[in-house]
Amino acid sequence: MPVLSLPGIVDAHVHLREPGATHKEDAYSGTISALAGGVIALLDMPNTTPPTVDGVALRLKRSLFEAKAVSDYGLFLGYVGGSLEPLTQLAGEVVGLKLYLDATYGDLVLSDPRTLARVFEAWPGPGPIAVHAEGRSIGTALDLARRYDRRLHVCHVPHPDDLLRIDAARQRGARVTCEVTPHHLFLAAEDAARLGAYGVMKPPLVPQAEVQRFWERLDLVDLIASDHAPHTRAEKESAAPPPGVPGLETTLPLLLWAVDQGRLSLERLIELTYHNPLRVYGLAPPPDSGIEVSMAEPYRLPETGYRTRCGWSPFAGHSALGRVTRVRLRGRTAWEEGALRVAPGYGQPLERAGG
Ligand SMILES: [Zn+2]
């Protein structure tokens, strides 16, 4: 059976739910799910409980990851209002600042324009300001990035026309990068009826014609990130299902299938899932690492058998290609033939490039 060697995926947008909602996922189950999907490193978002917005919360999260992670990782800082001091004090310890300009899961929404301006002004880097922004909020973020000359990263671009707005801002000198999710590339609003609450996410799925435009404009995209956002089946089947879907284990087989279909090259896949996430966040790759993928015939993604604690996938039934058989992380086999080969805590924080 042909085996494909790849550098592995660096997933720049992941919610591991620890601390606060470990019944959905924790730093152990989430990083196992990562290795199973060929993800050697992930960046964890700050909308946990407590939110990662100050030194106390950051130290708590870091100690939990140090004890439990089996893949490498980086942590985001968030902001909920109040003192701007944590931004300047902690900027060097995190991969970036995540701001929520529109409502989603969690409690970190920041919509007051004056506060937003003060945050952009205060953020010293070196990591970018990553934003959850939809509709008009994208324009607000682009304007602020230009006004304060800050590096901006637009997470999970909601609509293919937003790629044009981002590109136009880039042409005018804004330092802006962006990402799209696999669910916006491989699922469409037409799937929503079949998926029910399992297709509810923020930003929502777009119609098939717009999905096609995402693919046509993939040249304008810097990186693909899963926005892995697990919720239990019971939560998804409740009267008020929370937005978000898991994705750590499905990005690679979906994209390899797309390569097989001639929708992008293998080189471009590696750029979008490895080189560019590291470049955008200024991070060094884990040394002596890589993955092996067994490439047989295309197959349908299964309903069950995932390592994520939530145990389901919105992509079940979708065509896929390749199965991760081995993950090498910093000189050791971390994952082989469906089994974990390292102890909790083997995962390390990603280092800054050139540091
Ligand atoms: Zn997210």
Side-chain angles (χ1 to χ4, degrees), residues 10-11 24-25 33 64 76 105 111 119 131 152 177 205 232 237 311 318 346:
V10 175
D11 194 331
K24 300 175 195 279
E25 194 84 285
S33 175
L64 291 162
F76 274 95
Y105 176 75
S111 47
V119 170
V131 292
L152 177 73
T177 52
L205 295 174
T232 66
E237 285 165 20
H318 199 290
Y346 182 73

Side-chain angles (χ1 to χ4, degrees), residues 9 11 32-39 181-183 185-187 224-229 245-258 269 273 299-308 310-324:
I9 289 183
D11 194 331
I32 287 179
S33 175
L35 294 180
V39 175
T181 67
H183 45 265
L185 292 173
F186 293 96
L187 296 174
I224 292 175
S226 71
D227 195 8
H228 177 84
V245 296
L248 280 166
E249 290 161 76
T250 43
T251 299
L252 183 63
L254 287 167
L255 287 174
L256 286 172
W257 176 76
L269 181 158
T273 59
Y299 62 97
R300 300 266 174 198
L301 286 168
E303 292 282 344
T304 57
Y306 297 99
R307 303 299 175 126
T308 170
C310 74
W312 56 274
S313 169
F315 301 105
H318 199 290
S319 298
L321 181 63
R323 296 175 197 273
V324 175

Side-chain angles (χ1 to χ4, degrees), residues 14-35 42 44 48 60-73 75 228 230 248 307 309 340 343-347:
V14 172
H15 301 265
L16 290 195
R17 307 303 192 199
E18 174 141 25
T22 52
H23 64 287
K24 300 175 195 279
E25 194 84 285
D26 70 5
Y28 184 58
S29 67
T31 49
I32 287 179
S33 175
L35 294 180
L42 56 83
D44 183 67
T48 41
L60 169 65
K61 184 177 274 189
R62 195 185 288 143
S63 68
L64 291 162
F65 274 67
E66 278 169 5
K68 298 169 84 168
V70 293
S71 76
D72 284 6
Y73 56 89
L75 303 179
H228 177 84
L248 280 166
R307 303 299 175 126
R309 184 159 289 159
L340 184 65
Y346 182 73

Side-chain angles (χ1 to χ4, degrees), residues 13 15 98 156 227:
H13 191 144
H15 301 265
K98 174 72 183 290
H156 43 50
D227 195 8

